[in-house]
Amino acid sequence: MSLLEVADLDVAYTRGNTRMPALRDINLTMERGAIVGLVGESGSGKSTLGLAIAQLLPGNGRVTAGTIAFDGTDLTSSTQAELRAFRGKRIGVVFQDPSASLNPVLTIGEQIAESIRLHHDTGESTSLLTETLRKYSGGLARRGRSWAMAVDMLARMGIPDPAGCARRFPHQLSGGMRQRAAIAMALSGEPDLLIADEPTTALDVTVQATILRELVELVREMNTSVLLVTHDLDVASYFCDRIAVLYSGQLFELASAKEIFENPQNPYTQRLLASQPNIDDESAELAVLEGDVPDPADELAGCRFAARCPEAIDLCRSTPPRLVTLPERLVTHDREHQCRCLLRDGTATAAAGGAGHQVLHARRPAGEDRR
Ligand SMILES: Nc1ncnc2c1ncn2[C@@H]1O[C@H](COP(=O)(O)OP(=O)(O)OP(=O)(O)O)[C@@H](O)[C@H]1O
């Protein structure tokens, strides 16, 4: 069983009396220990998907169809008590702004130690932190041990004076240190899944890379899976095993990072990659992605990228494509390569009377079975 199986998921926000779809027909599976990058332009629904998986959608946001199976339990039908048990202990969350997770009136050490006490029941059964616990078990009371473990987590996140940092309040730390502390706190329950929503975007580029490296090292040690929301394709290619490309509320492509960068199949992904600066060749001309991303709430007849796609044919403007596993002849490194495009899944060839209509794996037709 996969750690996370998001199936046929729709999410909508309510504005006034209007229901505005934000995610449509999302299918995403994550294996234990995998780091998956969720990329896409602003407004494509990245944060909404992270929040939906963590069951932290704001009051006006709601899952309107589909399921989110976490280790076999459908979170969309879980009670608040069940969700509280999952969050923190089994699903950790880090946001762009660390103040969203840190309490301004408690020291960093108090917060992380409290979280460790809550999630570990003194830590006897945990893996990574057990080592630390053993070091401190001789003579230290439970509170002292959880404090020692908190200091250890701060050290693992690359904080130079972890004991001093533990005694400080969030406002006494720099932005980078605050975010390290927020990550240490999110990982202190040794969760199975970490949802990290642009965790370093607000920071200096060099600090970003260091923090992400520390985070990745720590989650690899803990075998924690990560859904890393980022608009930065370089970050995704460097740190992620798989990449999911979102466009206007839909998954357009999903494959290993190597496959996405060396063999992108969706015309949108191809243009998104071509529009990124090339660090190896700064003089290379950048492709410009003309036009705007349609609001995920807009109802469109065909492919949501058709209006901007230079390859679009009439069929693309009338028929919604589905996310399918691509036929083998189109993949290079990853047989699980999934793509949403009529020009790639064989539909366009079949409609033109040609052979090779090979939809190998398709989920619910778009628009069906909305709650
Ligand atoms: N609380 C909300 N109420 C109403 N609509 C919302 C709310 N949050 C997000 N949306 C809408 O949902 C859609 C997806 O937004 P979301 O923030 O998930 O995208 P994103 O890809 O994370 O964007 P960004 O990179 O700018 O953070 C957008 O159309 C946005 O306007």
Side-chain angles (χ1 to χ4, degrees):
M1 187 199 315
S2 300
L3 179 67
L4 180 76
E5 287 174 20
V6 177
D8 306 334
L9 183 77
D10 291 355
V11 172
Y13 290 104
T14 311
R15 288 181 211 149
N17 290 327
T18 318
R19 194 164 93 169
M20 318 283 281
L23 291 177
R24 296 163 179 265
D25 193 26
I26 300 288
N27 287 284
L28 174 73
T29 298
M30 281 181 70
E31 302 305 330
R32 222 166 266 276
I35 302 184
V36 176
L38 188 57
V39 304
E41 288 169 275
S42 185
S44 55
K46 303 183 293 298
S47 296
T48 301
L49 181 53
L51 291 171
I53 294 170
Q55 293 288 294
L56 287 172
L57 285 167
N60 66 335
R62 205 162 71 82
V63 169
T64 52
T67 52
I68 301 171
F70 178 77
D71 208 8
T73 302
D74 180 13
L75 300 181
T76 66
S77 53
S78 298
T79 62
Q80 280 307 318
E82 285 165 335
L83 290 176
R84 268 196 300 277
F86 273 111
R87 243 181 264 128
K89 170 73 189 133
R90 303 210 55 200
I91 303 180
V93 188
V94 185
F95 299 102
Q96 182 174 336
D97 178 4
S99 58
S101 19
L102 295 175
N103 185 336
V105 299
L106 290 179
T107 65
I108 299 290
E110 280 170 320
Q111 301 186 48
I112 302 180
E114 169 68 13
S115 160
I116 287 171
R117 282 196 295 278
L118 262 176
H119 299 311
H120 289 299
D121 187 33
T122 73
E124 241 65 63
S125 60
T126 67
S127 49
L128 183 74
L129 291 174
T130 309
E131 216 182 284
T132 319
L133 180 74
R134 231 182 265 125
K135 270 199 294 194
Y136 296 100
S137 53
L140 272 183
R142 184 168 176 247
R143 193 165 284 272
R145 277 184 286 166
S146 55
W147 181 273
M149 289 159 80
V151 172
D152 187 66
M153 280 303 286
L154 293 169
R156 285 177 193 273
M157 269 312 296
I159 290 182
D161 170 20
C165 171
R167 286 191 295 272
R168 289 190 200 110
F169 291 93
H171 73 268
Q172 294 174 309
L173 303 180
S174 69
M177 289 301 153
R178 252 200 311 273
Q179 191 56 298
R180 283 182 165 94
I183 294 170
M185 173 130 145
L187 289 175
S188 62
E190 290 190 62
D192 297 304
L193 173 66
L194 177 73
I195 294 174
D197 189 348
E198 306 263 13
T200 57
T201 305
L203 305 169
D204 195 271
V205 182
T206 47
V207 179
Q208 280 190 31
T210 318
I211 294 186
L212 284 172
R213 252 197 308 277
E214 285 151 357
L215 183 147
V216 167
E217 213 170 283
L218 196 47
V219 295
R220 295 274 191 223
E221 240 180 293
M222 290 177 163
N223 201 28
T224 292
S225 309
V226 183
L227 184 69
L228 179 64
V229 173
T230 176
H231 63 273
D232 188 331
L233 286 165
D234 284 334
V235 162
S237 77
Y238 196 76
F239 293 105
C240 300
D241 306 312
R242 295 185 74 69
I243 292 180
V245 181
L246 263 185
Y247 183 78
S248 185
Q250 288 183 321
L251 262 189
F252 262 46
E253 194 153 14
L254 176 64
S256 69
K258 191 173 170 65
E259 177 85 3
I260 289 282
F261 283 87
E262 294 181 9
N263 180 36
Q265 282 294 314
N266 195 290
Y268 171 63
T269 313
Q270 291 170 351
R271 276 149 195 86
L272 187 67
L273 288 170
S275 68
Q276 297 291 305
N278 182 345
I279 43 172
D280 299 324
D281 180 6
E282 285 178 3
S283 63
E285 212 168 294
L286 292 187
V288 179
L289 254 168
E290 303 276 354
D292 295 320
V293 186
D295 190 312
D298 294 348
E299 296 300 336
L300 302 173
C303 171
R304 304 187 69 77
F305 185 56
R308 301 169 83 191
C309 180
E311 292 183 49
I313 56 175
D314 284 348
L315 190 69
C316 302
R317 286 178 269 276
S318 59
T319 307
R322 290 176 287 162
L323 186 73
V324 301
T325 303
L326 287 173
E328 233 169 88
R329 68 189 155 77
L330 292 181
V331 308
T332 309
H333 308 289
D334 180 9
R335 286 178 170 207
E336 303 292 311
H337 189 157
Q338 291 180 291
C339 176
R340 184 187 293 274
C341 177
L342 299 177
L343 302 170
R344 303 292 186 263
D345 68 11
T347 310
T349 330
H357 185 182
Q358 293 191 53
V359 177
L360 301 183
H361 166 89
R363 295 283 194 161
R364 180 194 74 200
E368 216 179 72
D369 187 29
R370 308 264 176 242
R371 259 180 219 157

